[in-house]
Amino acid sequence: MDFGVVLQTDPPASEVIRLTALAEDQGFGYGWTFDSVVLWQEPFVIYSRILAATSSMVVGPMVTSPGTRDWSVLASLFATLNDMYGNRTVCGIGRGDSAHRVVGKSPSTLATLRDCMHVVKELAEGRQVTLGDVAVQIPWVRDGRLEMWMAGYGPKALRLAGEHADGFILQCADPAIARWTIGSVRDAARAAGRDPEGITVCVAAPAYVGDDLPHQREQLRWFGGMVGNHVADLVARYGDSGPVPHELTDYIAGRHGYDYAHHGRAGNPSTDFVPDEIVDRFCLLGPASAHRERLAELAELGVDQFAVYLMHDQREQTLAAYGKGIIG
């Protein structure tokens, strides 16, 4: 299994660069960041510095969206980094949550997301594509490569990932949810005539190594709120008795709004509705042995990468614990 680290691009950018370089030293192969440029700093500027400070780490957003940048700009950003550093980027992408909502936009439609994945990949890999009514090609791309990894939870999003994406990102480490989502993606790939095993599966969730479970839960409760923000859209669309597993929907009954000013941060006051059981299921807590057990269970389900959200008060200690007792 590969391992990644997920950070927010809070200033100073030098700290993001330092932590990703430290993660590479501990055996992590992927450096991901949030991509909401109103809430945090512009990640693509920082990716250039991360790539310069590391030797083999692959970087990318978890996740960008069709509505944040012009698609030709997004493709050129990836293509430029790949040309400078040797195809060491990956595009995590979804419909758009915080990056859209904080500027008054709704998430993109799945049709728009599908078209964006196609256009960005084609341009970043040097092929011609129709953008609007115009044939467009980036002339300087040579041997470019960019995989598109799509994030999603709902049945239609999972089908789209299986039909069109190179990878699938599940932002939740609950094995029951992983089993359903991965199975749905693979079924869709198979129905579309694709190799279901050819789609990379990445599970992303907070991980905190230690023995003080009550403290760990309080530090990671924000994640249940972030996931619940996506799930609320699914419940509105499908109802609480629809095709989405109850493991993903039941807990949001007590949810009342969401404040993006605290998005992805420990102590988020919008997450009081998240019970301890959800934190324990969605995240990895406890001693290193507990992490190894959960990761083995996820690997059995076909997970290729575990990406650690590192938004808590023991970031360096968790990286070291993974490097010594889990990755190594």
Side-chain angles (χ1 to χ4, degrees):
M1 181 181 286
D2 292 329
F3 289 86
V5 60
V6 189
L7 298 168
Q8 293 171 332
T9 52
D10 288 309
S14 58
E15 182 66 2
V16 181
I17 297 159
R18 185 187 71 83
L19 284 169
T20 49
L22 179 61
E24 184 180 63
D25 290 341
Q26 296 292 349
F28 289 79
Y30 284 75
W32 302 92
T33 74
F34 281 42
D35 181 15
S36 293
V37 295
V38 171
L39 298 176
W40 303 288
Q41 293 185 332
E42 169 57 56
F44 283 90
V45 177
I46 299 171
Y47 294 155
S48 186
R49 291 286 304 278
I50 293 173
L51 290 165
T54 57
S55 61
S56 60
M57 180 169 275
V58 176
V59 304
M62 188 176 283
V63 294
T64 193
S65 70
T68 306
R69 303 172 184 84
D70 182 272
W71 299 351
S72 64
V73 173
L74 186 58
S76 184
L77 287 166
F78 282 110
T80 300
L81 292 172
N82 283 339
D83 186 66
M84 293 173 67
Y85 297 103
N87 288 331
R88 289 169 55 199
T89 69
V90 58
C91 180
I93 192 167
R95 293 178 58 215
D97 179 40
S98 59
H100 283 214
R101 298 186 197 270
V102 297
V103 295
K105 292 183 178 181
S106 297
S108 298
T109 66
L110 288 174
T112 298
L113 176 55
R114 177 198 62 212
D115 292 345
C116 178
M117 288 196 296
H118 171 72
V119 167
V120 171
K121 182 179 180 68
E122 294 297 290
L123 288 176
E125 294 188 345
R127 292 181 291 274
Q128 181 175 291
V129 69
T130 300
L131 189 55
D133 296 323
V134 179
V136 179
Q137 184 173 14
I138 301 177
W140 45 261
V141 173
R142 298 290 182 272
D143 301 318
R145 185 180 70 250
L146 180 65
E147 291 195 351
M148 308 296 293
W149 293 13
M150 181 185 152
Y153 297 99
K156 292 180 180 178
L158 298 174
R159 183 166 66 246
L160 179 62
E163 292 172 345
H164 294 282
D166 299 306
F168 166 57
I169 296 172
L170 172 62
Q171 292 162 310
C172 177
D174 185 320
I177 296 170
R179 182 178 296 106
W180 174 70
T181 55
I182 295 169
S184 297
V185 169
R186 287 180 170 166
D187 287 346
R190 193 175 294 110
R194 305 179 71 200
D195 177 8
E197 302 299 324
I199 299 174
T200 303
V201 177
C202 173
V203 163
Y208 193 138
V209 180
D211 297 317
D212 189 346
L213 286 176
H215 177 73
Q216 292 177 352
R217 290 179 180 129
E218 290 310 309
Q219 285 286 300
L220 303 185
R221 202 173 303 278
W222 64 266
F223 186 67
M226 188 181 83
V227 172
N229 207 43
H230 297 288
V231 172
D233 288 341
L234 296 179
V235 171
R237 186 174 300 115
Y238 296 104
D240 56 12
S241 60
V244 182
H246 70 88
E247 289 92 345
L248 193 57
T249 60
D250 286 355
Y251 80 100
I252 68 164
R255 177 182 179 274
H256 300 288
Y258 190 81
D259 184 355
Y260 280 97
H262 307 282
H263 188 55
R265 298 187 186 279
N268 186 334
S270 301
T271 61
D272 290 345
F273 69 94
V274 180
D276 288 351
E277 177 193 4
I278 288 294
V279 181
D280 292 351
R281 281 170 34 199
F282 285 16
C283 308
L284 272 66
L285 301 84
S289 59
H291 292 242
R292 288 193 295 269
E293 290 174 8
R294 178 74 66 84
L295 290 169
E297 191 173 1
L298 292 172
E300 283 289 318
L301 296 173
V303 175
D304 301 295
Q305 180 186 149
F306 178 61
V308 176
Y309 279 99
L310 208 59
M311 279 66 80
H312 56 66
D313 62 0
Q314 294 287 325
R315 299 187 300 180
E316 294 186 25
Q317 293 89 336
T318 292
L319 288 178
Y322 261 71
K324 180 180 179 180
I326 297 171
I327 297 176

